Amino acid sequence: MGFGDLKSPAGLQVLNDYLADKSYIEGYVPSQADVAVFEAVSGPPPADLCHALRWYNHIKSYEKEKASLPGVKKALGKYGPVDVEDTTGSGATDSKDDDDIDLFGSDDEEESEEAKRLREERLAQYESKKAKKPALVAKSSILLDVKPWDDEIDMAKLEECVRSIQADGLVWGSSKLVPVGYGIKKLQIQCVVEDDKVGTDMLEEQITAFEDYVQSMDVAAFNKI
């Protein structure tokens, strides 16, 4: 289990594939699992790894409050896909020392139980929230204009980056390319959001974070459903 070496292109590719259908390393909210993996990454992933870059920028916004995020931070090899070999400890094999092992190893059981308890609490809260969810949820239909830098931008990749943004209460819809002049086309994409969970400011922040592809984002139409 693990991501391999997250400072290498191969490790970042594993992280990108892992996040293709996930918003966070574990669960539905930012946690110490995200902090542990974030700290192992040396910097922003390249733009072509759009899932990893989207996650990196989102977790980076929690920099000042990362210590208060829920969960218990575990060894990096405890996260990620199960079919990837954990190489995070390979460089430290020669410097193993009893003090280090005793310091962290003695609490493994306690931390595991604590992490399990926190996960169960979060799941219980999530299920309770779903059960109490009101029958009528305020929603809006939003049409976004996403403009590239120039006519050489890969618009299929740009759209893939936009659709990689996932959040509770956000559903992407149809899209099309609209000419704007000089051979440049903008992406016009529809989405439906739950008003209490997703706002246009959040969408703009995450879309424009793909700065290698996106010049700007505008709201072309906004309608309550």
Side-chain angles (χ1 to χ4, degrees):
M1 190 174 201
F3 295 104
D5 182 3
L6 282 172
K7 291 181 172 57
S8 72
L12 290 174
Q13 183 65 59
V14 173
L15 176 64
N16 186 70
D17 295 343
Y18 182 76
L19 291 167
D21 59 353
K22 298 176 179 65
S23 296
Y24 304 103
I25 300 300
E26 287 185 346
Y28 303 97
V29 295
S31 69
Q32 292 301 318
D34 296 284
V35 175
V37 177
F38 179 87
E39 290 177 346
V41 177
S42 58
D48 60 325
L49 301 180
C50 57
H51 305 298
L53 180 59
R54 174 255 306 162
W55 167 84
Y56 181 92
N57 289 326
H58 184 50
I59 300 304
K60 186 177 180 181
S61 68
Y62 289 92
E63 185 70 26
K64 294 182 180 178
E65 52 198 287
K66 64 182 182 181
S68 63
L69 293 178
V72 176
K73 192 187 296 185
K74 296 180 286 188
L76 189 61
K78 299 295 184 183
Y79 306 111
V82 296
D83 58 345
V84 175
E85 181 182 358
D86 173 25
T87 61
T88 54
S90 58
T93 304
D94 296 336
S95 61
K96 278 187 181 177
D97 130 353
D98 291 340
D99 290 340
D100 288 340
I101 296 171
D102 289 340
L103 177 61
F104 295 103
S106 60
D107 291 331
D108 278 351
E109 259 190 316
E110 180 182 344
E111 289 184 355
S112 178
E113 288 299 314
E114 177 69 7
K116 182 179 178 182
R117 183 183 65 79
L118 286 169
R119 277 197 301 272
E120 289 174 350
E121 283 182 4
R122 286 203 297 270
L123 285 171
Q125 290 171 359
Y126 179 70
E127 293 299 330
S128 175
K129 187 176 179 181
K130 284 207 310 186
K132 295 176 182 176
K133 205 172 184 180
L136 183 62
V137 178
K139 294 183 179 180
S140 298
S141 174
I142 306 175
L143 184 64
L144 303 176
D145 281 347
V146 184
K147 296 176 183 176
W149 289 104
D150 52 44
D151 60 346
E152 295 183 359
I153 295 296
D154 184 342
M155 295 303 291
K157 189 65 179 178
L158 184 149
E159 181 174 352
E160 180 186 341
C161 290
V162 171
R163 290 186 182 274
S164 75
I165 298 170
Q166 299 177 14
D168 187 19
L170 169 64
V171 178
W172 294 108
S174 60
S175 65
K176 64 180 180 179
L177 298 179
V178 179
V180 295
Y182 302 102
I184 301 174
K185 295 181 180 180
K186 65 182 177 181
L187 172 68
Q188 199 165 76
I189 186 166
Q190 190 90 25
C191 66
V192 173
V193 302
E194 293 184 22
D195 296 346
D196 290 341
K197 298 178 180 178
V198 180
T200 54
D201 288 345
M202 184 273 277
L203 290 173
E204 181 174 14
E205 178 185 350
Q206 296 202 30
I207 289 175
T208 55
F210 298 109
E211 55 188 21
D212 287 352
Y213 296 97
V214 178
Q215 181 190 66
S216 64
M217 186 215 83
D218 297 306
V219 177
F222 190 107
N223 296 296
K224 295 288 186 182
I225 298 177

